[in-house]
Structures are given as C-alpha cells and as structure tokens.
Amino acid sequence: MMEGWRDHILLEFAPKIARLTLVADPDSLLLEEGIMDSIRQRGFEVMPFEDPVTFRYVYESGFRSRWERGAGPDLIVTLRSETTDLGSLPYDLFYAGRRLSFRLADIFPHLSCPVVDCLDRADLDDLYKAQEKYAPGPLSDNATKDFILRHVFETAPEMIKEPKDLLRVLIRRHYRRQVVPVMLDEYLIQLLRQIDALADWPLEEIVADRDAFFAFLQERWPAFLDRLAAEEGIGNSREAVGPYTLALKGPVDLPFDDRDVQVYLDRLFLERILRPQNHDAAEVLIKTWAGVGVRFDPVADRRDRLAGLIDHLRSAVPPWDARFADWLRFARAWAEVTVMRHQSGSAAAIDDADEEFIKLQARMDAAFAAWLTERYAGLINLPPGPPPMLHHVPRYLARLIGDGPKGKVALLVMDGLSLDQWLIVREALLMRQPRLRFRESAVFAWMPTITSVSRQSVFAGRAPVLFPDSIGTTAKEPVLWKQFWAERHLASSAVAYVKGLGEGDQEWVKEIISDPQVRVAGLVIDIVDKIMHGMKLGMAGMHNQVRQWAGRPYLSSLLELLLDNGFRIFLTSDHGNVEAQGCGRPGEGSLAVSRGERVRLYNDAGLRESIYREFPAALQWKPIGLPGDLLALVAPTRQAFVQETEHIVTHGGNTVEEVIVPLVQIERVSVVQTWAPKVSNNGFPD
C-alpha cells in the first residue's frame, strides 16, 4: 500500500533518469508544495509551460546551455492542458524529453473527480488517508461531497441541528483558516437551509467568508455583553441593551456561552480576531468568563495579551518542513506581538515579557532562515489560487476582473510596509471610516527584499529572472505593468500607474481614477519607506510615525475616491522592515552592484566570497528566481552593514518582518439592520 498520494508520482522520479521530462499535468499535481520540494531535493527543477516566449528564454539560458557544458539540474516541464496530449509542446522538447502523465482519477478511482479536483492540493493528504482507511466503493457527486466534508473538513452535516452546533463548526473552521471549495459550501448550505432554527442566519455570507463570519460575531458581541450584564443584575434599563446597528443580517442573540464556543473565544480575543468592547458594567463583566472580550484596564490588558500571545507562539513556531501557509499564520500573530511590545504606555508589559520576547524572536529567526533555505524556491511556480508570492498578485487580480467590461481593480503598493505596521494603519483607517472591512491575508516578498527586485516583480507579474535588464531600477515599472495587462487584452488607456503617493494634493490622482476608461490602477505609496529610511528612534519611533501619518486624511480619502469610482481595492507591500544593529561596513567600494544596509549585491562570486570571509555570520543567498549573476550577501540576523554603533530600521534581508507582507482587500459595508431588544416589565430584555 502506498503511504500517500504523492508516492504515486514521486516513484517516477529518480536522479539522473533523464535530463528532460515532460509531464501532462491537467490537475496541477506536480506543482503541489510537498511534491515540488521532494522533486527539487532529488535534483530536478520544475517549470510550467505557459508563455512560450518566457519559457524559451529560461529554458535556453538556464538549462540547455548549461547541459551542453555538462552542468545544471535536470528539468521537468509541466503542461496544464485539459488533455494529456504533450504534442502542443515545441518540437525539440517533445522528441528530446521523457513523457509522463498524471491525473487525479488514477489516485482517487472511487471518488467523483470533479468534486476532488476542487480541493486545494494540500487537502489531498487527508482525503487519501480516509480513502485508504474506509475503502468506500464508487461514490456519486453528493456522496463524495459528504465523504470530503466529514473526513477532510471535520464537518458532519447531520450533527448540526441548532445554532450552537453551527457556531462551533464555523468558529473552528474559520479560526483554522480552512479553505473549503465553493462546490462543497453550496452543498452544505443547501443542507443547512432545511433546518428551521437556522432560517434567519446569513449562511451564504458567513459559511464561506471568514471575514464576514467574524464581523458577524463582532457585531453581536455587545448584545451578548448586555444580556450577560442583565443576568448579573446590572443594566436593568432599556438604555443598557441596545439598539444595535448591524452590517450583516441575521439573529442578534448568539449562544456565545456554549462551553465549546467559549474555548475558541479566548483565542479569538487574544489574537484580536475579535476585539474587546467597552461596557458600563466592565468592572463586573471582567470577572466572568467573558472578561477576555471586555475593555477595562489598558495596561493590564496589553500585559496579559502580550504574555498570552508569546506563550501561544512558543509552541507555534513552524518547523523547517512546514507549509508556507503555516508561516503566513505565524507572521500575523507575531505582528500583533510586535505592535504591543512597541506601543506607547505599555512599558510595564514590555518589561515583564521582554526576555521571553527576545527568546521567541531568536527561535523564530533561526526556524524561518532554515525554512527559506529549504522551501522558498518551491513557492515560485505554485498553481493558481490565493497568491503565495508577490509576482502572483497581478494574475490573481486578472482572474477577478475577467473579461467583463465593468470590472475595475486598484492595487495599492505601500512601499516598505510590514505586517505589524499594517495593523497600525488598519486601526487608524477604522477610526476615520468605521464602515471599512478588511479581508486580510499575506504573501511572500522576493529575496532580497529590496524595492528594485520585489516591487518590480509586483508590477511585472513575473519572477525577477525575467526582467534582468531593469533589476537595478524601478523606472520600467509602468511599462511592465501595462505589458502584463496588454497580454490579457487590456488597452493601454485602461491601465494606470502612479507612484510617489502618500502626501500632498490628490487632485491629479483624482483625475486619473475618475477616468471612465481606466479599469486597472497600480498605485505606489512610498511614505512609509521614506519614514523608515529617516528613522533614528528604532521600531517604537517607526510605529509612532506610521500611526501619525495613517491618522491623517490622505489614505482614507484615497480609499474613498477609489471605492466611489467602483474599484475593488487590494493593498500590499513590496517588503517589510526590521530594527537592526550595525555589524560594520564592507570595504568593496564601487565594485558592489548595490550597497544596501541589510544586503549587498554582487555580480562576481569571488568578490562576494571575499566579503563573506569578513562577515562569516552573513548569508550567501542563492539566486533563486533571480538573474544568475545577481549574487546577494545578506547581513547577519537583525544586523546591518553599517557602523557598529548605529541602530537603524531597514530592509533587504530574510527575517519574517521583511519577507512576509500584507495582502488586504478593502471594502465598504452598508448597514442592513438596526435592532433594539424588547424590554419586559422588569426592565430586562425578553
């Protein structure tokens, strides 16, 4: 018996079987993260055949020319055609390569292939184990959906009979960030709609949409606190219990006091997925189990949250072989810790937790550096889906707007914005525009994390190896951005690119955004990068200045302008930043291609090696996805190539804060319901 579904594929690949292997892979099995890593460890590189011109450039320069010299890795070319016909590949490849084909139907012969195909490839592990354990006979579409819901997503529809059952299922699912295919969600909602007790629940919104679900809970938490206060003998007047203004329809009184729900609520409030509320009865409520969701003593709250999050993250540092999504989740929680540590007025919290923070930071740095070395290269060619890397973002946006004449999308690239600074910006935006909703995720920036490499990859929509002529500048970003959309049949007049935003008059930007021809706008806001490069007060000073800028009307007004003109808004960053101590300046002078503070770039391996001998704790980064002659030397962890006495905020290296950056969809919600509870004769809500 096979140990897993990957073995069906990996048995076909052993080192030196063939220089060139051609694979018909209509189900994108070879591009699954675990398979990609296993294949690379065996000495192969994997490259999808998509754009013939791009493919030919990489194939000729990166593989065939090296093979002629007896060097270079073996290559696997994948064709994601609906058929298994490899004949559409170039003639010289077709006759030179070994040919293989892989399909889901061969791995899951008794399950409905259209249903299985909708799963994220990471979920195939659990499905394969369930298939081996329970050995189902041939299953129909609906029977396959039931099987997958039960054994992959731990959801047994027949066990959901009342609101508390559904609340438990959805909290567990959305807290774990499970991504359930639309086909399965539609099937589950169809079953749930048959339950009378759930008739008024907004299932179409909260089952599939994580952000909508937690917004649904957040809106109803004040009503629950009012009910709990009334039960404790406080708030026995109508004024203490509403009215409540809701953006999501549905029941107001939710069973938060269910014991299984309470277990998750502690974690949700700790990680600020849900936010504590002010309440007139806070002094009493804080002593109940619901106290975690009540604001009372800001200093004590920060101290307890900081200690609690650090304790949680100790056991959550991903190992060297973790999936990329594990690091994205960890980075989000680490950003919360970072904000609290540097927040003004929390000196007591910092003093109590600082030693544990530094220990956790060191563990994280070591684990992330090891993970990048082993797994980073596998991110570049992952199949379509939520974008794992910055250069995937434009393709993701292109799928959203499709071919329709009305779709409009704006990509805001906030140069230098880290995840922790995004949290600060988000809070400032909500203060000015409470109706904004943020669908938050994260992506990996390009290494080295400098603007000319990473930001340019966003606007090019491709890996840096494919724009070698402009790798040292951002001057070609407008051309690359328009070229990307021209390949998707958008006229130049429909594509806008604007940089240098963040302060000053917006009238000229308004003219561009208001142009009815413009369907795609790429906007660069560089104020955070400017703050960073002038920062002398460390990360606490950085946070303070970002908070001050975000509290001004500029960004809020820009978002309002875009929303008013019908744009779907996505915000990201090209790299983050880190607080670093000087370790000395290399003495290579003008021989370096780029003399950054966290990274030096060279086009001569001997020169990089000589500088490395001066700084043996530095990292000689492999040119993954970069032009072959762009050789990076990354400064030691949380150090910079400046004088030993200097303490700066900078970027270019390989820390979590520099590499993992926000990707946020920004929407504006409308009020759909205002609810005031009926009050009985004794003053308590009915």
Side-chain angles (χ1 to χ4, degrees):
M1 183 179 70
M2 295 284 184
E3 292 184 3
W5 69 274
R6 294 182 185 84
D7 294 333
H8 286 270
I9 294 173
L10 294 175
L11 285 175
E12 295 287 350
F13 298 100
K16 304 307 176 187
I17 282 184
R19 272 294 196 188
L20 178 63
T21 303
L22 311 177
V23 179
D25 186 27
D27 299 320
S28 298
L29 296 175
L30 229 64
L31 300 185
E32 188 272 336
E33 189 177 355
I35 287 184
M36 288 274 285
D37 288 327
S38 296
I39 286 175
R40 290 186 65 256
Q41 290 169 13
R42 299 178 186 205
F44 295 89
E45 291 291 338
V46 180
M47 183 164 55
F49 184 85
E50 295 173 331
D51 174 33
V53 176
T54 298
F55 174 86
R56 181 60 67 177
Y57 170 79
V58 176
Y59 174 68
E60 294 293 339
S61 62
F63 293 94
R64 198 170 69 84
S65 61
R66 295 167 69 188
W67 292 343
E68 291 174 352
R69 302 192 301 270
D74 297 340
L75 176 64
I76 300 170
V77 177
T78 65
L79 183 65
R80 295 200 295 258
S81 168
E82 288 301 316
T83 71
T84 56
D85 180 17
L86 293 167
S88 60
L89 290 171
Y91 179 87
D92 58 326
L93 267 70
F94 183 76
Y95 284 99
R98 184 172 68 115
R99 297 188 285 275
L100 298 172
S101 175
F102 300 111
R103 298 192 73 105
L104 279 169
D106 300 326
I107 301 172
F108 300 97
H110 298 303
L111 304 181
S112 167
C113 275
V115 179
V116 175
D117 186 42
C118 74
L119 288 174
D120 186 284
R121 297 302 175 248
D123 293 324
L124 296 183
D125 291 322
D126 291 333
L127 183 60
Y128 189 85
K129 291 174 186 175
Q131 175 184 257
E132 293 291 288
K133 182 176 182 179
Y134 298 104
L139 299 181
S140 65
D141 285 357
N142 282 346
T144 299
K145 293 172 187 176
D146 275 317
F147 190 81
I148 292 174
L149 282 171
R150 186 181 309 275
H151 298 295
V152 176
F153 299 109
E154 302 174 276
T155 300
E158 74 277 6
M159 299 301 291
I160 302 174
K161 300 177 180 178
E162 53 184 319
K164 66 180 181 180
D165 302 327
L166 178 61
L167 199 58
R168 287 195 296 263
V169 167
L170 293 183
I171 286 181
R172 183 181 66 242
R173 164 181 167 172
H174 288 310
Y175 176 72
R176 296 177 179 177
R177 291 183 178 271
Q178 288 181 325
V179 179
V180 180
V182 173
M183 181 188 300
L184 298 183
D185 272 338
E186 290 175 346
Y187 177 71
L188 177 61
I189 290 170
Q190 180 183 350
L191 297 177
L192 295 177
R193 280 290 173 218
Q194 300 173 25
I195 302 172
D196 291 341
L198 302 176
D200 59 342
W201 281 60
L203 299 176
E204 286 73 16
E205 289 82 18
I206 65 174
V207 169
D209 190 329
R210 180 180 188 271
D211 298 279
F213 173 70
F214 287 126
F216 177 75
L217 299 190
Q218 185 73 65
E219 289 181 344
R220 283 139 179 89
W221 182 246
F224 175 77
L225 291 179
D226 285 342
R227 174 161 70 83
L228 186 60
E231 292 171 358
E232 295 291 327
I234 304 170
N236 57 350
S237 67
R238 184 183 181 93
E239 287 75 22
V241 286
Y244 309 106
T245 300
L246 309 176
L248 287 161
K249 64 180 180 179
V252 176
D253 191 13
L254 300 184
F256 288 117
D257 45 1
D258 177 78
R259 287 188 176 276
D260 292 330
V261 172
Q262 289 178 27
V263 172
Y264 278 100
L265 286 175
D266 285 346
R267 184 64 58 198
L268 294 175
F269 281 111
L270 177 65
E271 297 181 21
R272 285 303 187 263
I273 296 171
L274 295 180
R275 309 193 67 75
Q277 299 293 303
N278 294 319
H279 198 279
D280 291 342
E283 191 168 356
V284 173
L285 291 174
I286 200 73
K287 298 174 184 177
T288 71
W289 69 266
V292 68
V294 179
R295 288 198 185 107
F296 184 62
D297 181 340
V299 174
D301 177 58
R302 280 196 288 269
R303 181 186 63 240
D304 293 343
R305 280 195 64 224
L306 186 57
L309 272 176
I310 289 175
D311 184 61
H312 167 62
L313 291 181
R314 280 196 199 97
S315 59
V317 177
W320 69 269
D321 59 347
R323 294 186 174 277
F324 76 88
D326 297 330
W327 274 109
L328 297 183
R329 283 191 291 269
F330 184 91
R332 176 60 173 73
W334 179 253
E336 288 277 2
V337 170
T338 303
V339 171
M340 280 189 289
R341 184 173 186 259
H342 295 291
Q343 194 166 356
S344 61
S346 60
I350 294 173
D351 291 342
D352 290 344
D354 203 52
E355 183 177 350
E356 296 304 317
F357 176 92
I358 292 171
K359 288 180 181 177
L360 177 59
Q361 185 183 71
R363 277 191 59 206
M364 174 188 71
D365 288 342
F368 190 60
W371 185 88
L372 285 177
T373 299
E374 294 292 331
R375 308 295 292 261
Y376 183 80
L379 300 177
I380 299 172
N381 291 319
L382 288 182
M389 292 191 72
L390 281 172
H391 71 290
H392 296 133
V393 171
R395 283 189 291 168
Y396 177 69
L397 302 183
R399 290 198 301 275
L400 289 179
I401 66 172
D403 297 325
K406 296 183 179 180
K408 299 171 74 173
V409 65
L411 178 63
L412 276 64
V413 181
M414 293 192 68
D415 196 326
L417 185 77
S418 63
L419 263 176
D420 50 287
Q421 289 143 25
W422 157 248
L423 298 183
I424 292 169
V425 171
R426 182 191 65 184
E427 291 305 302
L429 287 173
L430 284 174
M431 290 291 290
R432 300 191 68 89
Q433 294 192 49
R435 290 170 55 203
L436 290 179
R437 180 185 293 169
F438 307 105
R439 300 181 184 277
E440 297 175 279
S441 56
V443 292
F444 284 81
W446 271 93
M447 281 284 296
T449 49
I450 60 176
T451 302
S452 63
V453 172
S454 202
R455 196 178 84 190
Q456 197 167 188
S457 78
V458 181
F459 290 107
R462 57 187 63 185
V465 68
L466 299 176
F467 47 84
D469 295 339
S470 60
I471 198 67
T473 178
T474 60
K476 290 191 176 181
E477 283 180 353
V479 175
L480 293 170
W481 182 239
K482 287 180 178 287
Q483 180 180 324
F484 174 86
W485 291 103
E487 292 168 357
R488 285 146 185 86
H489 313 296
L490 274 186
S492 178
S493 59
V495 182
Y497 170 93
V498 183
K499 68 176 181 178
L501 303 179
E503 51 192 344
D505 184 16
Q506 291 196 33
E507 284 303 313
W508 63 285
V509 181
K510 183 176 181 179
E511 184 177 343
I512 295 171
I513 298 304
S514 303
D515 185 341
Q517 292 189 77
V518 174
R519 291 184 59 196
V520 175
L523 310 175
V524 178
I525 300 174
D526 58 8
I527 189 68
V528 174
D529 196 63
K530 291 178 179 178
I531 292 172
M532 175 184 59
H533 286 296
M535 180 50 56
K536 302 296 183 183
L537 300 176
M539 193 55 70
M542 182 77 190
H543 281 192
N544 186 49
Q545 288 203 26
V546 170
R547 185 176 289 108
Q548 289 183 36
W549 172 78
R552 296 171 184 166
Y554 186 93
L555 182 58
S556 176
S557 299
L558 179 60
L559 296 178
E560 195 77 14
L561 173 64
L562 290 165
L563 291 168
D564 288 345
N565 281 276
F567 283 88
R568 299 176 70 172
I569 303 174
F570 290 82
L571 180 149
T572 190
S573 169
D574 54 346
H575 57 76
N577 51 75
V578 69
E579 194 169 354
Q581 182 69 44
C583 63
R585 295 182 185 274
E588 77 282 78
S590 62
L591 295 178
V593 175
S594 174
R595 291 177 289 170
E597 295 163 330
R598 278 280 287 148
V599 64
R600 297 293 175 110
L601 301 180
Y602 307 94
N603 55 19
D604 180 86
L607 178 58
R608 183 177 71 167
E609 179 66 29
S610 68
I611 302 301
Y612 173 69
R613 287 195 291 269
E614 294 180 33
F615 299 89
L619 170 67
Q620 296 190 81
W621 180 253
K622 295 180 180 178
I624 298 170
L626 304 173
D629 61 350
L630 192 69
L631 306 174
L633 183 68
V634 180
T637 305
R638 299 187 187 272
Q639 296 185 38
F641 292 128
V642 296
Q643 293 181 0
E644 287 88 342
T645 56
E646 289 190 62
H647 198 75
I648 63 173
V649 179
T650 186
H651 66 94
N654 61 337
T655 63
V656 166
E657 295 94 328
E658 293 165 287
V659 176
I660 297 179
V661 297
L663 177 62
V664 185
Q665 184 175 0
I666 302 175
E667 301 171 330
R668 182 169 52 199
V669 298
S670 301
V671 173
V672 300
Q673 183 176 354
T674 301
W675 181 86
K678 296 179 181 178
V679 180
S680 63
N681 292 334
N682 62 9
F684 289 86
D686 290 339

